[in-house]
Amino acid sequence: MKNDIHPDYHEINVVMTDGTEFKTKSTWGKAGDSMRLDIDPKSHPAWTGVHRMVDTGGQIAKFNKRFASFGIKS
């Protein structure tokens, strides 16, 4: 490897949304910094299976109201 062209690769502390921590190596921040996550596998809907309720009736009504002037009859 060439000298002085690569970023500093050091150990940081990652704090999950529930407060658990682990150490990993990264080029982010400085050695010993803590990265706090807003979303992680313990809180993201893709991994937890908990999704927000979608108001489809309201969305359809809003769509119909918005595009009613185009003359498409349902």
Side-chain angles (χ1 to χ4, degrees):
M1 290 194 324
K2 292 183 180 179
N3 291 332
D4 301 325
I5 65 166
H6 299 285
D8 180 33
Y9 191 63
H10 49 269
E11 193 171 85
I12 64 167
N13 193 29
V14 178
V15 181
M16 307 280 270
T17 56
D18 66 350
T20 58
E21 302 177 2
F22 66 92
K23 292 189 183 288
T24 188
K25 292 220 169 202
S26 175
T27 58
W28 180 86
K30 298 178 186 126
D33 280 355
S34 291
M35 176 188 289
R36 294 193 165 276
L37 301 180
D38 294 330
I39 296 176
D40 62 21
K42 294 179 182 178
S43 65
H44 194 279
W47 288 283
T48 62
V50 178
H51 298 280
R52 68 180 179 98
M53 296 299 293
V54 178
D55 180 20
T56 55
Q59 290 176 347
I60 292 170
K62 183 178 176 182
F63 177 85
N64 289 335
K65 180 180 174 186
R66 184 173 182 183
F67 295 105
S69 64
F70 284 103
I72 300 172
K73 304 215 191 280
S74 51

